[in-house]
Amino acid sequence: GPVAETFRVIQGAMTEEYVRSTQGVFQFELSGDGGGTWYIDLKTKGGSAGFGKPPVTADVVMSMSSADFVKMFTDELKPFMAFMSGNSSIIGDMMLTLSLEKIQ
């Protein structure tokens, strides 16, 4: 589905340098189609992304619909706007979420 595809793209876009400069782990609690718990690890060697809980404790946990998540990474929705609209919640390091925009 679109969520899994988005995570495949993210995984492919990761570079050592990006992981080194970000040093953050993101957990996504997605509702709706293709939802569930997903993660982007930009801290552990080389980085990783996929379904399930991250291998280490997340710095940021975001809750949103899977549709909004896909929009966020196809650049139709800035992460910050998603939270301002009240359709998403974020727990943790807000500044780290801005670094997600670099991977889009």
Coordinates of all heavy atoms in Angstrom, one line a residue:
G1 N 0.8 -1.2 0.0 CA 0.0 0.0 0.0 C 0.9 1.3 0.0 O 2.1 1.2 0.0
P2 N 0.2 2.4 0.0 CA 1.0 3.7 -0.1 C 1.9 3.9 1.1 O 2.9 4.5 1.0 CB -0.1 4.8 -0.2 CG -1.4 4.1 0.0 CD -1.2 2.6 -0.1
V3 N 1.5 3.5 2.3 CA 2.3 3.7 3.5 C 3.6 2.9 3.4 O 4.7 3.4 3.5 CB 1.6 3.3 4.8 CG1 2.5 3.4 6.0 CG2 0.4 4.3 5.0
A4 N 3.5 1.6 3.0 CA 4.7 0.8 2.9 C 5.6 1.3 1.8 O 6.8 1.3 1.9 CB 4.2 -0.7 2.6
E5 N 5.0 1.8 0.7 CA 5.7 2.3 -0.4 C 6.5 3.6 0.0 O 7.7 3.7 -0.3 CB 4.8 2.7 -1.6 CG 5.5 3.2 -2.8 CD 6.5 2.3 -3.3 OE1 6.3 1.0 -3.3 OE2 7.6 2.8 -3.8
T6 N 5.9 4.4 0.8 CA 6.5 5.6 1.3 C 7.7 5.3 2.2 O 8.8 5.9 2.1 CB 5.5 6.5 2.2 OG1 4.4 6.8 1.3 CG2 6.1 7.8 2.7
F7 N 7.6 4.2 3.1 CA 8.7 3.8 3.9 C 9.8 3.2 3.1 O 11.0 3.4 3.4 CB 8.2 2.9 5.0 CG 7.7 3.6 6.2 CD1 6.4 3.8 6.4 CD2 8.6 4.1 7.2 CE1 5.9 4.5 7.5 CE2 8.1 4.8 8.3 CZ 6.8 5.0 8.4
R8 N 9.5 2.6 2.0 CA 10.5 2.0 1.1 C 11.3 3.2 0.5 O 12.5 3.1 0.4 CB 9.9 1.2 -0.1 CG 10.0 -0.3 0.2 CD 9.8 -1.1 -1.1 NE 8.5 -0.8 -1.7 CZ 7.3 -1.4 -1.3 NH1 7.3 -2.2 -0.3 NH2 6.2 -1.1 -1.9
V9 N 10.6 4.2 0.0 CA 11.3 5.4 -0.5 C 12.2 6.1 0.5 O 13.3 6.4 0.2 CB 10.2 6.4 -1.1 CG1 10.9 7.7 -1.5 CG2 9.5 5.8 -2.3
I10 N 11.7 6.2 1.7 CA 12.4 6.8 2.8 C 13.7 6.0 3.1 O 14.8 6.6 3.2 CB 11.6 6.9 4.1 CG1 10.5 7.9 3.9 CG2 12.5 7.3 5.3 CD1 9.4 7.9 5.0
Q11 N 13.6 4.7 3.1 CA 14.7 3.8 3.4 C 15.7 4.0 2.3 O 16.9 4.1 2.6 CB 14.2 2.4 3.4 CG 15.3 1.3 3.5 CD 15.8 1.1 4.9 OE1 15.0 0.7 5.8 NE2 17.0 1.4 5.2
G12 N 15.3 4.2 1.1 CA 16.2 4.3 -0.1 C 16.9 5.7 -0.1 O 17.9 5.9 -0.7
A13 N 16.2 6.7 0.6 CA 16.8 8.1 0.5 C 17.8 8.3 1.6 O 18.4 9.4 1.7 CB 15.6 9.0 0.6
M14 N 17.9 7.4 2.6 CA 18.8 7.6 3.7 C 20.3 7.5 3.3 O 20.7 6.7 2.5 CB 18.6 6.5 4.7 CG 17.4 6.7 5.6 SD 17.2 5.4 6.8 CE 15.6 5.8 7.4
T15 N 21.0 8.4 3.9 CA 22.5 8.4 3.7 C 23.1 8.4 5.0 O 22.5 8.9 6.0 CB 23.0 9.6 2.9 OG1 22.7 10.8 3.6 CG2 22.3 9.7 1.5
E16 N 24.4 7.9 5.1 CA 25.1 7.9 6.4 C 25.2 9.4 6.9 O 25.0 9.6 8.1 CB 26.6 7.4 6.1 CG 26.7 6.0 5.9 CD 26.7 5.2 7.2 OE1 26.8 5.8 8.3 OE2 26.7 4.0 7.2
E17 N 25.4 10.3 6.0 CA 25.6 11.7 6.4 C 24.3 12.2 7.0 O 24.3 12.9 8.0 CB 25.9 12.5 5.2 CG 26.3 14.0 5.5 CD 26.4 14.9 4.3 OE1 26.7 14.3 3.2 OE2 26.2 16.1 4.4
Y18 N 23.2 11.9 6.4 CA 21.9 12.3 6.9 C 21.6 11.7 8.3 O 21.1 12.4 9.2 CB 20.8 11.9 5.9 CG 19.4 12.4 6.3 CD1 19.2 13.8 6.5 CD2 18.3 11.5 6.4 CE1 17.9 14.2 6.9 CE2 17.1 12.0 6.8 CZ 16.9 13.3 7.0 OH 15.6 13.8 7.4
V19 N 21.9 10.5 8.5 CA 21.7 9.8 9.8 C 22.6 10.5 10.8 O 22.2 10.8 11.9 CB 22.1 8.3 9.7 CG1 22.1 7.7 11.1 CG2 21.1 7.6 8.8
R20 N 23.9 10.8 10.4 CA 24.8 11.4 11.3 C 24.4 12.8 11.7 O 24.5 13.2 12.9 CB 26.2 11.5 10.7 CG 27.4 11.4 11.7 CD 28.7 11.2 11.0 NE 28.9 11.8 9.7 CZ 29.1 11.1 8.6 NH1 29.2 9.8 8.7 NH2 29.3 11.7 7.5
S21 N 23.8 13.5 10.8 CA 23.4 14.9 11.1 C 22.1 15.0 11.8 O 21.8 16.0 12.5 CB 23.4 15.7 9.8 OG 22.3 15.3 9.0
T22 N 21.3 14.0 11.7 CA 19.9 14.0 12.3 C 19.9 13.5 13.7 O 19.5 14.1 14.7 CB 18.9 13.3 11.5 OG1 18.9 13.8 10.1 CG2 17.5 13.5 12.1
Q23 N 20.4 12.3 13.9 CA 20.5 11.6 15.2 C 19.2 11.6 15.9 O 19.0 12.1 17.0 CB 21.6 12.3 16.1 CG 23.0 12.0 15.6 CD 23.3 10.5 15.7 OE1 23.4 9.9 16.7 NE2 23.6 9.9 14.5
G24 N 18.1 11.1 15.2 CA 16.8 11.1 15.8 C 16.1 9.8 15.4 O 16.3 9.3 14.3
V25 N 15.2 9.4 16.3 CA 14.4 8.2 16.0 C 12.9 8.6 16.1 O 12.5 9.2 17.1 CB 14.7 7.0 17.0 CG1 13.8 5.8 16.7 CG2 16.2 6.6 16.9
F26 N 12.2 8.3 15.0 CA 10.8 8.7 14.9 C 9.9 7.5 14.9 O 10.2 6.5 14.2 CB 10.6 9.5 13.6 CG 11.4 10.7 13.4 CD1 12.7 10.6 12.9 CD2 11.0 11.9 13.9 CE1 13.5 11.7 12.8 CE2 11.8 13.0 13.8 CZ 13.1 12.9 13.2
Q27 N 8.8 7.5 15.7 CA 7.8 6.5 15.7 C 6.5 7.1 15.2 O 6.2 8.2 15.6 CB 7.7 5.9 17.1 CG 6.7 4.7 17.2 CD 6.8 4.1 18.6 OE1 7.8 4.0 19.2 NE2 5.6 3.7 19.1
F28 N 5.8 6.4 14.3 CA 4.6 6.9 13.8 C 3.5 5.9 14.2 O 3.6 4.7 13.9 CB 4.7 7.0 12.2 CG 5.7 7.9 11.8 CD1 7.0 7.5 11.5 CD2 5.4 9.3 11.6 CE1 8.0 8.3 11.1 CE2 6.4 10.1 11.2 CZ 7.7 9.7 10.9
E29 N 2.4 6.5 14.8 CA 1.2 5.7 15.1 C 0.2 6.1 14.1 O -0.4 7.2 14.2 CB 0.7 6.0 16.5 CG 1.7 5.5 17.6 CD 2.0 4.0 17.6 OE1 1.2 3.3 17.1 OE2 3.0 3.6 18.2
L30 N 0.0 5.3 13.0 CA -0.9 5.7 11.9 C -2.2 5.0 12.0 O -2.3 3.8 12.3 CB -0.2 5.3 10.6 CG 1.2 5.9 10.4 CD1 1.7 5.5 9.0 CD2 1.2 7.4 10.5
S31 N -3.3 5.7 11.8 CA -4.6 5.2 11.8 C -5.1 5.1 10.3 O -4.7 5.8 9.5 CB -5.5 6.0 12.6 OG -5.5 7.4 12.1
G32 N -6.0 4.1 10.1 CA -6.6 4.0 8.8 C -5.8 3.0 7.9 O -5.1 2.1 8.5
D33 N -6.0 3.1 6.6 CA -5.5 2.1 5.7 C -4.0 2.0 5.8 O -3.3 3.0 5.6 CB -5.9 2.6 4.3 CG -5.9 1.4 3.3 OD1 -6.0 0.3 3.8 OD2 -5.8 1.6 2.1
G34 N -3.5 0.8 6.0 CA -2.0 0.6 6.1 C -1.4 1.2 7.4 O -0.2 1.4 7.5
G35 N -2.3 1.4 8.4 CA -1.9 2.0 9.6 C -1.1 1.0 10.5 O -0.6 0.0 10.1
G36 N -0.9 1.4 11.8 CA -0.2 0.6 12.7 C 1.1 1.4 13.2 O 1.1 2.6 13.0
T37 N 2.0 0.7 13.7 CA 3.2 1.4 14.2 C 4.3 1.2 13.2 O 4.6 0.1 12.8 CB 3.7 0.8 15.6 OG1 2.6 0.9 16.5 CG2 4.9 1.4 16.1
W38 N 4.9 2.3 12.8 CA 6.0 2.4 11.9 C 7.1 3.2 12.5 O 6.9 4.0 13.4 CB 5.6 3.0 10.5 CG 4.5 2.2 9.8 CD1 3.2 2.2 10.1 CD2 4.7 1.4 8.7 NE1 2.6 1.4 9.2 CE2 3.5 0.9 8.3 CE3 5.8 1.0 7.9 CZ2 3.3 0.0 7.2 CZ3 5.7 0.1 6.8 CH2 4.4 -0.4 6.5
Y39 N 8.3 3.2 11.9 CA 9.4 4.0 12.4 C 10.4 4.4 11.4 O 10.5 3.8 10.3 CB 10.2 3.2 13.5 CG 11.1 2.1 13.0 CD1 12.4 2.4 12.7 CD2 10.6 0.8 12.7 CE1 13.3 1.4 12.2 CE2 11.4 -0.1 12.2 CZ 12.8 0.2 11.9 OH 13.6 -0.8 11.3
I40 N 11.1 5.5 11.7 CA 12.3 5.9 10.9 C 13.4 6.1 11.9 O 13.3 6.9 12.9 CB 12.0 7.2 10.2 CG1 10.9 7.1 9.2 CG2 13.3 7.7 9.4 CD1 10.5 8.4 8.6
D41 N 14.5 5.3 11.8 CA 15.6 5.4 12.7 C 16.7 6.1 12.0 O 17.4 5.6 11.1 CB 16.0 4.0 13.1 CG 17.3 3.9 14.0 OD1 17.9 5.0 14.3 OD2 17.6 2.8 14.5
L42 N 17.0 7.3 12.5 CA 18.1 8.1 11.9 C 19.1 8.4 13.0 O 19.6 9.5 13.2 CB 17.5 9.5 11.4 CG 16.6 9.4 10.2 CD1 15.9 10.7 10.0 CD2 17.3 8.9 9.0
K43 N 19.4 7.3 13.7 CA 20.4 7.4 14.8 C 21.3 6.2 14.8 O 22.5 6.3 14.9 CB 19.7 7.4 16.1 CG 20.5 7.8 17.3 CD 19.7 7.9 18.6 CE 19.2 9.2 18.9 NZ 18.5 9.3 20.2
T44 N 20.8 5.0 14.6 CA 21.6 3.8 14.6 C 22.3 3.7 13.3 O 21.7 4.0 12.2 CB 20.6 2.6 14.8 OG1 19.8 2.9 15.9 CG2 21.4 1.3 15.2
K45 N 23.5 3.2 13.3 CA 24.4 3.0 12.1 C 23.6 2.8 10.8 O 22.9 1.8 10.6 CB 25.3 1.8 12.4 CG 26.4 1.6 11.3 CD 27.4 0.6 11.8 CE 27.3 -0.7 11.1 NZ 27.4 -0.7 9.6
G46 N 23.8 3.7 9.9 CA 23.2 3.5 8.6 C 21.7 3.9 8.5 O 21.2 4.2 7.4
G47 N 21.0 3.9 9.6 CA 19.6 4.2 9.6 C 18.7 3.1 9.1 O 19.2 2.2 8.4
S48 N 17.5 3.1 9.4 CA 16.5 2.1 8.9 C 15.1 2.7 9.0 O 14.9 3.7 9.7 CB 16.6 0.8 9.6 OG 16.3 1.0 11.0
A49 N 14.2 2.1 8.3 CA 12.8 2.5 8.4 C 11.9 1.3 8.1 O 12.3 0.4 7.4 CB 12.5 3.6 7.4
G50 N 10.7 1.2 8.7 CA 9.9 0.1 8.4 C 8.7 0.0 9.4 O 8.4 0.9 10.2
F51 N 8.1 -1.2 9.4 CA 6.9 -1.5 10.2 C 7.4 -2.0 11.5 O 8.4 -2.7 11.7 CB 6.1 -2.6 9.5 CG 4.8 -2.8 10.2 CD1 3.8 -1.9 10.2 CD2 4.6 -4.0 10.9 CE1 2.6 -2.2 10.8 CE2 3.4 -4.3 11.5 CZ 2.4 -3.3 11.5
G52 N 6.6 -1.6 12.6 CA 6.9 -2.0 13.9 C 7.5 -0.9 14.7 O 7.7 0.2 14.3
K53 N 7.9 -1.3 16.0 CA 8.6 -0.3 16.9 C 10.0 -0.2 16.4 O 10.6 -1.1 15.9 CB 8.5 -0.8 18.3 CG 7.1 -0.7 18.9 CD 7.2 -0.4 20.4 CE 5.9 -0.4 21.1 NZ 5.0 0.7 20.8
P54 N 10.6 1.0 16.7 CA 12.0 1.3 16.3 C 12.9 0.4 17.2 O 12.5 0.0 18.3 CB 12.2 2.7 16.6 CG 11.1 3.2 17.5 CD 10.0 2.3 17.2
P55 N 14.1 0.1 16.7 CA 15.0 -0.8 17.5 C 15.5 -0.1 18.8 O 15.9 -0.8 19.7 CB 16.2 -1.0 16.5 CG 16.1 0.0 15.4 CD 14.6 0.4 15.4
V56 N 15.5 1.2 18.8 CA 15.8 1.9 20.1 C 14.6 2.9 20.4 O 13.8 3.1 19.5 CB 17.1 2.7 20.0 CG1 18.3 1.8 19.8 CG2 17.1 3.7 18.8
T57 N 14.6 3.4 21.6 CA 13.5 4.3 22.0 C 13.4 5.5 21.1 O 14.4 6.1 20.8 CB 13.7 4.7 23.5 OG1 13.9 3.5 24.3 CG2 12.5 5.5 24.0
A58 N 12.1 5.8 20.7 CA 11.9 6.9 19.8 C 12.1 8.3 20.5 O 11.7 8.4 21.7 CB 10.5 6.9 19.2
D59 N 12.7 9.2 19.8 CA 12.8 10.6 20.3 C 11.5 11.4 20.1 O 11.2 12.3 20.8 CB 13.9 11.3 19.6 CG 15.3 10.7 19.9 OD1 15.7 10.6 21.0 OD2 15.8 10.1 18.9
V60 N 10.8 11.0 19.0 CA 9.6 11.6 18.7 C 8.5 10.6 18.3 O 8.8 9.6 17.6 CB 9.8 12.5 17.4 CG1 8.5 13.2 17.0 CG2 10.8 13.6 17.7
V61 N 7.3 10.7 18.8 CA 6.2 9.9 18.5 C 5.1 10.7 17.8 O 4.7 11.7 18.4 CB 5.6 9.1 19.7 CG1 4.5 8.2 19.3 CG2 6.7 8.3 20.4
M62 N 4.8 10.4 16.6 CA 3.7 11.2 15.9 C 2.5 10.3 15.7 O 2.7 9.1 15.3 CB 4.2 11.6 14.5 CG 5.4 12.5 14.6 SD 5.7 13.1 12.9 CE 7.4 13.7 13.1
S63 N 1.4 10.8 15.9 CA 0.1 10.1 15.6 C -0.6 10.9 14.6 O -0.8 12.1 14.7 CB -0.7 10.0 16.9 OG 0.0 9.4 17.9
M64 N -1.0 10.2 13.5 CA -1.8 10.8 12.4 C -2.4 9.7 11.6 O -2.2 8.6 11.8 CB -0.8 11.7 11.6 CG 0.3 10.9 10.9 SD 1.3 11.9 9.8 CE 2.0 13.1 10.9
S65 N -3.2 10.2 10.6 CA -3.8 9.2 9.7 C -2.8 8.8 8.7 O -1.9 9.6 8.4 CB -5.1 9.8 9.0 OG -4.6 10.8 8.1
S66 N -2.9 7.6 8.2 CA -2.0 7.1 7.2 C -2.0 8.0 5.9 O -1.0 8.3 5.3 CB -2.2 5.7 6.8 OG -3.6 5.4 6.5
A67 N -3.2 8.5 5.6 CA -3.4 9.4 4.5 C -2.6 10.7 4.6 O -1.9 11.1 3.7 CB -4.9 9.8 4.3
D68 N -2.6 11.3 5.8 CA -1.8 12.5 6.1 C -0.3 12.2 6.1 O 0.5 13.0 5.7 CB -2.2 13.1 7.5 CG -3.4 14.0 7.4 OD1 -3.9 14.3 6.3 OD2 -3.8 14.5 8.5
F69 N 0.0 11.0 6.6 CA 1.5 10.6 6.6 C 2.0 10.6 5.1 O 3.1 11.1 4.9 CB 1.7 9.3 7.2 CG 3.1 8.8 7.1 CD1 4.0 9.2 8.0 CD2 3.4 7.9 6.1 CE1 5.4 8.8 7.9 CE2 4.7 7.5 6.0 CZ 5.7 7.9 6.9
V70 N 1.2 9.9 4.3 CA 1.7 9.8 2.9 C 1.8 11.2 2.2 O 2.7 11.6 1.6 CB 0.7 8.9 2.1 CG1 1.0 9.0 0.6 CG2 0.8 7.5 2.6
K71 N 0.8 12.1 2.5 CA 0.8 13.5 2.0 C 2.0 14.2 2.5 O 2.6 15.0 1.8 CB -0.5 14.2 2.5 CG -1.7 14.0 1.7 CD -2.7 15.0 2.1 CE -4.1 14.5 1.7 NZ -5.1 14.7 2.7
M72 N 2.4 14.0 3.8 CA 3.5 14.7 4.4 C 4.8 14.4 3.6 O 5.6 15.2 3.5 CB 3.6 14.2 5.9 CG 4.5 15.0 6.7 SD 4.3 14.6 8.5 CE 5.6 13.5 8.7
F73 N 4.9 13.1 3.2 CA 6.1 12.7 2.5 C 6.1 12.9 1.0 O 7.1 12.7 0.3 CB 6.6 11.3 2.9 CG 7.3 11.3 4.2 CD1 6.6 11.2 5.4 CD2 8.6 11.6 4.3 CE1 7.2 11.2 6.6 CE2 9.3 11.7 5.5 CZ 8.6 11.5 6.7
T74 N 4.9 13.2 0.5 CA 4.8 13.6 -1.0 C 4.8 15.1 -1.1 O 4.5 15.6 -2.1 CB 3.6 12.9 -1.6 OG1 2.4 13.2 -0.9 CG2 3.8 11.4 -1.8
D75 N 5.1 15.7 0.1 CA 5.3 17.2 0.1 C 4.0 17.9 -0.1 O 4.0 19.1 -0.4 CB 6.3 17.6 -0.9 CG 7.1 18.8 -0.3 OD1 7.3 18.8 0.9 OD2 7.6 19.6 -1.1
E76 N 2.8 17.3 0.1 CA 1.6 18.0 0.0 C 1.2 18.6 1.3 O 0.3 19.4 1.5 CB 0.4 17.1 -0.4 CG 0.5 16.6 -1.9 CD -0.5 15.5 -2.2 OE1 -1.6 15.7 -1.7 OE2 -0.1 14.6 -2.9
L77 N 1.9 18.2 2.4 CA 1.6 18.6 3.7 C 2.9 18.7 4.5 O 3.6 17.8 4.7 CB 0.7 17.6 4.4 CG 0.2 17.8 5.8 CD1 -0.8 19.0 5.8 CD2 -0.5 16.6 6.3
K78 N 3.2 19.9 5.0 CA 4.4 20.1 5.8 C 4.1 19.5 7.2 O 3.0 19.7 7.7 CB 4.7 21.6 5.9 CG 5.3 22.2 4.6 CD 6.8 22.0 4.5 CE 7.4 22.5 3.2 NZ 8.1 21.4 2.5
P79 N 5.1 18.8 7.8 CA 4.9 18.3 9.1 C 4.3 19.3 10.1 O 3.4 19.0 10.8 CB 6.3 17.8 9.5 CG 7.0 17.5 8.3 CD 6.5 18.5 7.3
F80 N 4.8 20.5 10.1 CA 4.4 21.5 11.0 C 2.9 21.8 10.8 O 2.1 22.0 11.7 CB 5.2 22.8 10.9 CG 5.0 23.7 12.0 CD1 5.5 23.4 13.3 CD2 4.4 24.9 11.8 CE1 5.3 24.2 14.3 CE2 4.2 25.8 12.9 CZ 4.7 25.5 14.1
M81 N 2.5 21.9 9.5 CA 1.1 22.2 9.2 C 0.2 21.1 9.7 O -0.9 21.3 10.1 CB 0.9 22.4 7.7 CG 1.6 23.7 7.1 SD 1.3 25.2 8.1 CE -0.5 25.4 7.9
A82 N 0.6 19.9 9.6 CA -0.2 18.7 10.0 C -0.5 18.9 11.5 O -1.7 18.6 11.9 CB 0.6 17.4 9.8
F83 N 0.4 19.4 12.3 CA 0.2 19.5 13.7 C -0.6 20.7 14.0 O -1.4 20.7 14.9 CB 1.5 19.4 14.5 CG 2.2 18.2 14.1 CD1 3.4 18.2 13.5 CD2 1.7 16.9 14.4 CE1 4.1 17.1 13.1 CE2 2.3 15.8 14.1 CZ 3.5 15.8 13.4
M84 N -0.4 21.8 13.3 CA -1.2 23.0 13.5 C -2.7 22.8 13.2 O -3.5 23.3 13.8 CB -0.7 24.1 12.6 CG 0.7 24.6 12.9 SD 0.9 25.2 14.6 CE 0.0 26.7 14.5
S85 N -3.0 21.9 12.2 CA -4.3 21.7 11.8 C -5.1 20.8 12.9 O -6.3 20.7 12.9 CB -4.4 20.9 10.5 OG -3.9 19.6 10.7
G86 N -4.3 20.3 13.8 CA -5.0 19.5 14.9 C -5.3 18.1 14.6 O -5.9 17.4 15.3
N87 N -5.0 17.7 13.3 CA -5.3 16.3 12.9 C -4.2 15.3 13.4 O -4.3 14.1 13.2 CB -5.4 16.2 11.4 CG -6.6 17.0 10.9 OD1 -7.5 17.2 11.6 ND2 -6.5 17.4 9.7
S88 N -3.1 15.8 13.9 CA -2.0 15.0 14.3 C -1.5 15.4 15.7 O -1.7 16.5 16.1 CB -0.8 15.2 13.3 OG -1.3 15.2 12.0
S89 N -0.9 14.5 16.4 CA -0.3 14.8 17.6 C 1.2 14.4 17.6 O 1.6 13.5 16.9 CB -1.0 14.2 18.8 OG -0.6 12.8 18.9
I90 N 2.0 15.1 18.4 CA 3.4 14.9 18.4 C 3.9 14.9 19.9 O 3.5 15.8 20.6 CB 4.2 15.9 17.5 CG1 5.7 15.6 17.6 CG2 3.9 17.3 17.9 CD1 6.4 16.3 16.5
I91 N 4.6 13.9 20.2 CA 5.2 13.8 21.6 C 6.7 13.7 21.4 O 7.2 12.9 20.6 CB 4.7 12.6 22.3 CG1 3.2 12.6 22.4 CG2 5.3 12.5 23.7 CD1 2.6 11.3 22.7
G92 N 7.4 14.6 22.1 CA 8.9 14.5 22.0 C 9.5 15.8 21.4 O 9.0 16.9 21.6
D93 N 10.6 15.6 20.8 CA 11.5 16.7 20.3 C 10.9 17.3 19.0 O 11.2 16.8 17.9 CB 12.9 16.2 20.1 CG 13.9 17.3 19.8 OD1 13.4 18.4 19.4 OD2 15.1 17.1 19.9
M94 N 10.2 18.4 19.1 CA 9.6 19.1 18.0 C 10.6 19.5 17.0 O 10.3 19.5 15.8 CB 8.8 20.3 18.5 CG 7.9 21.0 17.5 SD 6.4 20.0 17.1 CE 5.8 20.9 15.7
M95 N 11.8 20.0 17.4 CA 12.8 20.5 16.5 C 13.2 19.3 15.5 O 13.6 19.6 14.4 CB 14.0 21.0 17.2 CG 13.7 22.4 17.9 SD 12.9 23.6 16.8 CE 14.2 23.9 15.7
L96 N 13.3 18.1 16.1 CA 13.7 17.0 15.3 C 12.8 16.8 14.1 O 13.2 16.3 13.0 CB 13.7 15.7 16.1 CG 15.1 15.3 16.7 CD1 14.9 14.0 17.5 CD2 16.2 15.1 15.7
T97 N 11.5 17.1 14.3 CA 10.5 16.8 13.2 C 10.9 17.7 12.0 O 10.6 17.3 10.8 CB 9.1 17.1 13.6 OG1 9.0 18.5 14.0 CG2 8.6 16.2 14.7
L98 N 11.5 18.9 12.2 CA 11.9 19.7 11.1 C 12.9 19.1 10.2 O 12.9 19.3 9.0 CB 12.4 21.1 11.6 CG 11.4 21.9 12.4 CD1 12.0 23.2 13.0 CD2 10.1 22.2 11.6
S99 N 13.7 18.2 10.8 CA 14.8 17.5 10.0 C 14.1 16.5 9.1 O 14.8 16.1 8.1 CB 15.8 16.8 11.0 OG 15.1 15.8 11.7
L100 N 12.9 16.1 9.4 CA 12.2 15.2 8.5 C 12.0 15.8 7.1 O 11.9 15.1 6.1 CB 10.9 14.7 9.1 CG 10.9 13.6 10.1 CD1 9.5 13.3 10.6 CD2 11.5 12.3 9.5
E101 N 11.8 17.1 7.1 CA 11.6 17.8 5.8 C 12.7 17.6 4.8 O 12.5 17.7 3.6 CB 11.3 19.3 6.0 CG 10.0 19.5 6.9 CD 9.5 20.9 6.9 OE1 10.1 21.8 6.3 OE2 8.5 21.1 7.5
K102 N 13.9 17.3 5.4 CA 15.1 17.1 4.5 C 15.0 15.9 3.7 O 15.6 15.7 2.7 CB 16.4 17.1 5.3 CG 16.8 18.5 5.8 CD 18.2 18.4 6.4 CE 18.1 18.3 7.9 NZ 19.3 18.0 8.6
I103 N 14.2 14.9 4.2 CA 14.2 13.6 3.5 C 13.1 13.5 2.5 O 13.1 12.6 1.7 CB 14.1 12.4 4.6 CG1 14.7 11.2 4.1 CG2 12.6 12.2 4.9 CD1 14.9 10.1 5.1
Q104 N 12.2 14.5 2.5 CA 11.1 14.4 1.6 C 11.5 14.6 0.2 O 12.3 15.4 -0.2 CB 10.1 15.5 2.0 CG 9.4 15.2 3.3 CD 8.6 16.4 3.8 OE1 8.7 17.5 3.3 NE2 7.8 16.1 4.8

